[in-house]
């Protein structure tokens, strides 16, 4: 995952992951309200850049990485997890290959 450089990007990333996870009604969830409240409370101005704000931004970036990685892992798991016995053609297709065919119809025709 690319590094998130600003608090605004971290906030947008978290809200995007919430929208993907919860659907169109994500704005009514407690998680949405909590994320917005935390980012509003820890806004950095030019005069106030303290350790607590840095810690909160680091926690937001870490949580965003966790949410994104979990979503991508579940997508891969659904695609490649064993669903019983597969034919050799299906297994070859998973990695982008095709089984060879023998010309002339000697038992390997498709």
């Amino acid at each position: 995952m690319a590094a998130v450089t600003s608090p605004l990007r971290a906030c947008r990333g978290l809200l995007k992951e919430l929208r993907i996870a919860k659907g169109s009604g994500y704005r009514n969830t407690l998680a949405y309200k909590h994320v917005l409240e935390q980012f509003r409370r820890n806004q950095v101005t030019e005069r106030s850049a303290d350790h607590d704000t840095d810690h909160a931004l680091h926690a937001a970036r870490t949580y965003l990485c966790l949410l994104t990685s979990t979503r991508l892992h579940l997508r891969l798991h659904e695609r490649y997890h064993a669903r019983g016995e597969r034919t050799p053609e299906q297994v070859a297709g998973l990695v982008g290959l095709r089984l060879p065919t023998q010309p002339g119809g000697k038992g390997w025709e498709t």
Side-chain angles (χ1 to χ4, degrees):
M1 183 178 151
V4 178
T5 56
S6 71
L8 181 60
R9 286 186 138 183
C11 182
R12 286 181 179 168
L14 284 170
L15 295 178
K16 175 186 171 191
E17 291 298 326
L18 281 174
R19 184 178 66 241
I20 291 171
K22 299 293 183 183
S24 62
Y26 74 102
R27 290 182 181 210
N28 299 326
T29 63
L30 290 175
Y32 176 82
K33 293 173 185 172
H34 179 72
V35 167
L36 287 182
E37 176 187 331
Q38 291 300 312
F39 273 93
R40 286 180 183 142
R41 187 166 38 132
N42 292 308
Q43 280 183 338
V44 179
T45 62
E46 291 181 16
R47 291 184 219 125
S48 68
D50 58 351
H51 180 69
D52 292 338
T53 304
D54 292 339
H55 179 69
L57 181 58
H58 177 71
R61 289 175 181 166
T62 304
Y63 193 59
L64 175 59
C65 182
L66 171 74
L67 290 175
T68 305
S69 299
T70 302
R71 178 177 50 86
L72 294 175
H73 170 73
L74 288 175
R75 186 188 313 166
L76 287 172
H77 184 73
E78 288 172 3
R79 182 172 181 179
Y80 293 111
H81 189 263
R83 287 175 241 149
E85 194 67 26
R86 292 184 175 159
T87 65
E89 291 82 11
Q90 290 173 331
V91 173
L94 280 176
V95 293
L97 301 174
R98 286 186 12 212
L99 292 179
T101 59
Q102 186 173 9
K106 302 213 177 191
W108 288 26
E109 56 269 357
T110 57

